[in-house]
Amino acid sequence: MSARDKIFNALINNRDDYISGGQMAADFGISRNAVWKNVKSLQEQGYVIEAVTNKGYRLVKCPDILSPELIKKELNPALSGPDIEVRAEVTSTNTVLKETASLHPDKDYLLVAGRQTMGRGRLGRKFYSPDGDGVYFSLLLHPKLTGAESQYLTTAIAAAVAKAIEKVCGFNAVIKWVNDIFVNGKKVCGILTEAVIDFETAGLEYAIVGTGINITTPKDGYPDEIKDVAGALYEHGKAIPGVRNSLVAATINYFYEYYEKLAEKPFLEEYKKRSFLIGERVKVIGNIAAPDDYYEARVLDIDNDLRLVIETPDGGIKTLMTGEVSIRKI
Ligand code: BTN
């Protein structure tokens, strides 16, 4: 842990009291001057830290900013989780991690951003990622999974995000097969998993699981092409302070509970429980470029291989694989 992280933790764990610079210098094996420099850097990030002669430093206010320290603070202490980096703006957290994956050959790595200029969605779509209204994060993993099993990563993170939204915000979050999270009938989160296969072993070289959560409705609303579907957890300017850090941390905590035994599909029960298509009538679109070419069906279940089990109008039973079709609720 860096000296800055140690100082931050000391301040946040003693929020009501002053901690002397000398004490922190002795505890962390650094000079008083180094303590002061790190405090200054935290202040520059927007933390309000009071400095009183003969008393020391006291954390008065945390800004509502994305911060690796605040995310770490809410992570399960027993978790040997990812290294964490926060950036104000990136092209796409998935793209950046793909370009820099070789820098993190062994360790999991979490990149969190406040804005994406080229956020990517599934099927080559864009993912609208405006500043201040969402949180966008990707997790670089080195899982021991086959290519086919890599789908479990998506399902596990979907279950984890839904649980995190419920825990942190108190909203009922449901999942639209395969990986869209809905709250109050609107899509508030999308997930894009990308994996690189090692052809020699047929296993994964690495995987990147990217999640975008719409926290607040943008001031001028969503762009026309997504406004019927997209929604956010809160109205503009009405999010609870610190919710972005808390949602990232809670998602990571829940995800890693599943990740440890991913091949056993520990997420399945939670995923199915929250899947709102089960029992519903849907349109099944074979080719997304031709959305008028569809047939109607009723969703019976999601099977243990995460396929959608449907009943067609002629009474036949079919199973649909992810990526094969697009589903619209009727
Ligand atoms: C979808 O709904 O089609 C998937 C959207 C996935 C968006 C997330 S935001 C973080 C990560 N970076 C990206 O460019 N995309 C994913």
Side-chain angles (χ1 to χ4, degrees):
M1 197 188 281
S2 68
R4 189 170 168 284
D5 283 1
K6 287 180 189 163
I7 291 169
F8 175 78
N9 282 340
L11 289 168
I12 204 154
N13 291 331
N14 291 276
R15 275 191 87 156
D16 299 327
D17 290 320
Y18 291 90
I19 317 176
S20 83
Q23 181 68 53
M24 285 196 277
D27 287 350
F28 308 141
I30 54 176
S31 66
R32 276 167 175 260
N33 193 37
V35 170
W36 177 78
K37 275 192 178 158
N38 281 293
V39 167
K40 225 174 136 223
S41 132
L42 288 165
Q43 285 170 329
E44 278 159 13
Q45 275 208 339
Y47 294 94
V48 180
I49 300 167
E50 202 177 32
V52 176
T53 320
N54 294 331
K55 281 187 164 180
Y57 300 103
R58 186 172 73 97
L59 180 63
V60 179
K61 200 173 158 204
C62 286
D64 191 19
I65 55 165
L66 276 170
S67 125
E69 292 88 357
L70 290 173
I71 294 171
K72 276 182 218 159
K73 197 178 158 351
E74 294 189 53
L75 288 182
N76 178 351
L79 186 76
S80 130
D83 286 343
I84 303 178
E85 180 185 348
V86 170
R87 295 199 200 171
E89 177 185 304
V90 292
T91 48
S92 144
T93 49
N94 269 37
T95 307
V96 172
L97 279 190
K98 224 191 272 181
E99 288 163 357
T100 53
S102 61
L103 302 177
H104 317 286
D106 310 312
K107 189 93 206 290
D108 299 350
Y109 199 84
L110 176 70
L111 177 62
V112 186
R115 174 178 187 226
Q116 298 186 117
T117 53
M118 292 168 72
R120 295 190 290 114
R122 290 174 61 233
L123 307 168
R125 297 193 195 111
K126 290 183 191 147
F127 187 76
Y128 185 61
S129 318
D131 194 14
D133 288 310
V135 63
Y136 317 99
F137 54 103
S138 298
L139 188 56
L140 171 72
L141 300 161
H142 306 273
K144 290 194 174 43
L145 295 175
T146 63
E149 287 168 337
S150 61
Q151 193 204 337
Y152 302 165
L153 295 168
T154 307
T155 329
I157 201 100
V161 176
K163 275 176 86 173
I165 290 175
E166 194 150 315
K167 173 174 183 269
V168 175
C169 312
F171 304 135
N172 182 31
V174 290
I175 302 170
K176 178 172 175 256
W177 183 83
V178 179
N179 53 359
D180 291 338
I181 312 292
F182 279 65
V183 168
N184 293 328
K186 293 281 185 179
K187 174 172 165 177
V188 298
C189 168
I191 294 161
L192 177 68
T193 302
E194 299 179 281
V196 170
I197 310 279
D198 178 339
F199 282 107
E200 277 181 23
T201 62
L204 295 191
E205 194 176 316
Y206 65 80
I208 295 169
V209 186
T211 307
I213 307 179
N214 301 334
I215 305 288
T216 43
T217 359
K219 199 156 156 276
D220 299 321
Y222 285 102
D224 282 350
E225 56 284 16
I226 56 168
K227 69 169 191 246
D228 291 340
V229 180
L233 298 173
Y234 300 96
E235 282 172 38
H236 193 77
K238 301 223 170 124
I240 49 173
V243 70
R244 292 181 301 167
N245 297 309
S246 302
L247 278 174
V248 174
T251 301
I252 296 298
N253 283 338
Y254 288 131
F255 174 78
Y256 273 89
E257 278 176 22
Y258 297 139
Y259 186 57
E260 279 159 16
K261 296 182 190 153
L262 200 67
E264 294 169 29
K265 301 180 228 176
F267 50 80
L268 198 59
E269 196 186 327
E270 187 72 37
Y271 181 84
K272 282 179 68 165
K273 197 176 84 188
R274 291 182 184 269
S275 290
F276 72 82
L277 286 185
I278 297 176
E280 296 293 332
R281 281 170 36 80
V282 293
K283 285 181 186 176
V284 181
I285 304 163
N287 175 4
I288 194 68
D292 292 335
D293 187 8
Y294 65 84
Y295 60 90
E296 291 187 8
R298 198 163 68 85
V299 177
L300 299 179
D301 201 0
I302 291 170
D303 72 11
N304 286 354
D305 292 321
L306 301 168
R307 292 174 304 195
L308 201 65
V309 185
I310 58 163
E311 183 182 25
T312 51
D314 60 6
I317 308 292
K318 264 177 126 176
T319 52
L320 304 174
M321 302 271 282
T322 162
E324 206 176 60
V325 288
S326 184
I327 299 291
R328 304 265 159 83
K329 203 173 146 208
I330 297 176

